[in-house]
Amino acid sequence: MSERKSLIASFYANLKIFEGYYAAKWFPYTMPISDIYGLRAALDDIAADSDRLMRHARIAQECRKTLIDAGIRLHLESGFSNTVTVFDVPEETTAKEILDMMLHDYNIMLAGSFDSLAGQVIRIGHMGSNANEADMEEAMEALMQTLKRLGVNRKGR
């Protein structure tokens, strides 16, 4: 960067302004104060929740078990994350129909996917304050009702 021939187009695109910033004790652009407050709140939440990793694991396991018991195919067979569960969209319906019904009829937002998985999978997030039994039970019950209403053949239901 020190040897470039052309001028750097703008202040925000100039990584050279970071040179020596720590030693000089100055920050080369406007501090993102809302991010700092958010980080502080997140750190306070982490400090107050010593069981968070086990809670996330428990909620994730309950979510996966509910789907499997209903005959819904998880997208992966192993290597699950404790912050999100992904299932394949059943052939009787579409991702859009599931997502729309969950949002409009139950006020619960699930997520589709992007790129090569767009329209093929649904993602259920269960992390942070959303990783609790009451929210997961409500989401799973709403999802089971949604699938039933959309004509999805569920095992044992």
Side-chain angles (χ1 to χ4, degrees):
M1 284 190 288
S2 297
E3 297 173 13
R4 70 182 279 147
K5 305 285 187 242
S6 60
L7 293 175
I8 297 171
S10 73
F11 178 81
Y12 291 102
N14 185 355
L15 296 179
K16 291 283 291 169
I17 63 172
F18 284 92
E19 201 168 54
Y21 85 95
Y22 187 77
K25 303 286 188 244
W26 80 279
F27 204 67
Y29 60 86
T30 305
M31 294 291 288
I33 195 68
S34 59
D35 290 349
I36 293 169
Y37 282 128
L39 177 60
R40 174 80 266 156
L43 292 172
D44 290 344
D45 288 349
I46 289 169
D49 186 4
S50 62
D51 187 44
R52 70 191 170 283
L53 296 178
M54 291 305 297
R55 179 172 46 84
H56 282 84
R58 188 173 58 252
I59 295 297
Q61 185 175 8
E62 289 174 18
C63 181
R64 292 189 298 264
K65 181 180 183 326
T66 299
L67 293 172
I68 291 168
D69 289 350
I72 304 302
R73 187 168 166 258
L74 298 180
H75 185 66
L76 298 175
E77 293 182 16
S78 64
F80 302 114
S81 166
N82 285 336
T83 61
V84 65
T85 294
V86 183
F87 67 91
D88 291 337
V89 174
E91 62 186 27
E92 298 94 337
T93 189
T94 67
K96 181 173 179 12
E97 287 177 316
I98 295 170
L99 297 173
D100 286 351
M101 190 175 288
M102 287 291 291
L103 181 60
H104 298 299
D105 294 0
Y106 299 98
N107 202 30
I108 296 173
M109 184 181 287
L110 303 181
S113 195
F114 309 96
D115 198 32
S116 63
L117 292 177
Q120 297 181 35
V121 299
I122 303 262
R123 296 176 293 141
I124 303 171
H126 37 74
M127 63 188 107
S129 61
N130 289 326
N132 66 75
E133 282 81 5
D135 286 348
M136 187 52 56
E137 287 174 14
E138 181 181 356
M140 290 294 95
E141 181 58 33
L143 179 58
M144 294 303 116
Q145 290 300 316
T146 294
L147 295 174
K148 180 179 180 180
R149 290 172 56 199
L150 292 171
V152 173
N153 186 11
R154 297 174 303 129
K155 178 172 63 178
R157 303 285 171 141

